[in-house]
Structures are given as structure tokens and as C-alpha cells.
Amino acid sequence: MNGNEACRGLAFIMEGATEKVFYLEYLSQLCASRGFVLKKNLDTQEDRYTVMSVSGDIVVMMASVNSVTQMTNSATWFDRACVKENPGIAWTVFLCYDTDEYNSDITKFHEGDWAMLRKSIAPSARKVVDMAAGADIENVILCDLPGVLAFLKLPPETQVPPGNKGKTKLKKLYRKAAPNKAYHSGERAKNLISHLDMAEIKASAPVPLEEIDKAIESD
């Protein structure tokens, strides 16, 4: 850890690849704004990063399960790759998932298998944060509408298309930009996401992005 012993960790358990691209970009911009360095660790098969801050190194682990139904199996990954590989670290765990419909109640994500996941994580996590995006992560992306429109080279007065699903809205905006232009989720959304202003998104996002800020700030 470059001689700077890590004492904190952030674990992101994400529903899909688009979430990973988004939260990694959020971390990147957050670190840049604070003069921290975010680097990927290449000496492991895990999706592992290190935030090098003035108060010490922070381990960042990411797991994308590709389906919300598989997220409940993530406790094994957290125990093996995060806790056992990094003894003595205080973990903040972010559960990044979609609630499937706008303003959906997240109560169901505290029941059944989800309750077991939280119970398994709890002993080794000082905090578990729900990053529950209303409808989908694309709704969060659209919180920086000026950034989206600028990326698509659409007029700044362009209105967001109607509907609840952010992905549907983005697809319509892409088609407005050009009939043959299509929005793709996952890694292919990286160009769009990298052009967004995460501070702008944080100001009105339906997820508590400020919890990530708190987790990398010194205690």
C-alpha cells in the first residue's frame, strides 16, 4: 500500500455493469476534486482499487452481479475478497440496485434473502448504504441533463422525454440526436458517463451519493 497502511474500505455490490461504470467515474471525479489519487490494483483478479489520500490509503472493492436476484449471494464475495483479504479494515458497503419502478418502496430489499445478505455483511461492515435508484441508474445519469445534452450535441433547451424509466428516456434522446444513434448500457455507456458532472448529479440524485464522500473523508 505504498507504505500507507489502509484502515478503511469501500465495497460496492452492484446490480450491473452500468452501475460499475457510473460509481467508478463518481469516485474518480470525487478523488480528483480532493487531490486524491485513485488507481486500479493490477496484481489481483479482483476488481480492486486504492484511493491514496492524505489521511491514508482506502481500499475500494467492486462486484457486479449482473442480476438483482444474484445480489443476495454477494455475502460470500464480501467475506472472502474484502474482509479476509484485508484484516483490520473498517468497511462501508454500498448496495447499488434498481427498485424497478419509480418511487418504489425499498422495504422488500430488507426482507427474505436480502435480510440474510445484510445480516451476513453486518458484523464486518461499520455501515451499509442503500444506493437504490428509482427505476434505473439512467435516472441518476439524467440528473445532469445539460451534460447529457451536450454529449449528444442536442440543444440545451431539449426536454426530457416522458416516462418513468431512465433508460427509455435516454434511448429517446439518443434517437433525437441521430436516427441511427443508440444508447447502450454497461461498458458502452462509459463515454457518456465520463462526460457527466458528478457534482451536478449529486445535487439532485435519488440516491445518497454524499455517503460515498463521507466514506473517503478522514474520520
Side-chain angles (χ1 to χ4, degrees):
M1 290 283 175
N2 299 311
N4 211 2
E5 191 66 28
C7 61
R8 282 173 289 153
L10 282 61
F12 289 83
I13 300 175
M14 297 166 290
E15 185 174 350
T18 311
E19 281 86 357
K20 177 192 168 183
V21 174
F22 178 86
Y23 286 108
L24 192 55
E25 178 64 26
Y26 185 88
L27 272 172
S28 178
Q29 291 191 26
L30 180 61
C31 289
S33 71
R34 284 162 167 69
F36 299 166
V37 175
L38 175 68
K39 68 170 186 175
K40 182 171 176 57
N41 299 142
L42 301 176
D43 56 350
T44 175
Q45 292 184 338
E46 297 290 345
D47 208 2
R48 178 187 174 112
Y49 304 80
T50 301
V51 174
M52 302 168 67
S53 76
V54 292
S55 61
D57 287 356
I58 304 164
V59 176
V60 178
M61 299 290 291
M62 294 190 164
S64 182
V65 298
N66 299 318
S67 169
V68 72
T69 58
Q70 294 298 314
M71 286 191 71
T72 52
N73 299 324
S74 302
T76 301
W77 168 82
F78 177 66
D79 184 59
R80 172 186 57 78
C82 300
V83 178
K84 290 183 178 176
E85 286 293 320
N86 305 275
I89 282 184
W91 288 95
T92 301
V93 180
F94 296 92
L95 302 180
C96 310
Y97 56 87
D98 299 339
T99 57
D100 296 329
E101 57 186 71
Y102 187 62
N103 286 341
S104 172
D105 189 354
I106 68 168
T107 302
K108 65 181 179 180
F109 296 100
H110 290 261
E111 300 171 348
D113 289 343
W114 281 87
M116 291 299 296
L117 169 64
R118 294 168 189 276
K119 184 177 180 180
S120 298
I121 288 174
S124 303
R126 67 175 178 179
K127 192 172 191 179
V128 177
V129 180
D130 283 284
M131 289 293 191
D136 49 32
I137 190 65
E138 284 81 6
N139 274 323
V140 180
I141 289 172
L142 284 167
C143 288
D144 180 18
L145 180 59
V148 172
L149 297 179
F151 175 77
L152 294 174
K153 297 181 172 58
L154 286 169
E157 65 272 15
T158 302
Q159 298 293 309
V160 177
N164 291 333
K165 287 282 189 179
K167 185 177 288 187
T168 301
K169 296 174 187 177
L170 267 182
K171 286 180 177 179
K172 290 178 180 178
L173 286 173
Y174 268 67
R175 284 197 293 271
K176 273 184 182 247
N180 62 345
K181 198 174 183 70
Y183 168 72
H184 297 284
S185 57
E187 284 292 325
R188 296 172 74 179
K190 191 170 185 177
N191 282 343
L192 166 64
I193 292 172
S194 66
H195 280 79
L196 301 176
D197 183 341
M198 293 297 168
E200 178 79 13
I201 289 177
K202 181 172 63 175
S204 61
V207 292
L209 293 170
E210 66 278 359
E211 292 292 338
I212 300 176
D213 301 38
K214 293 176 186 176
I216 74 162
E217 290 166 357
S218 58
D219 294 325

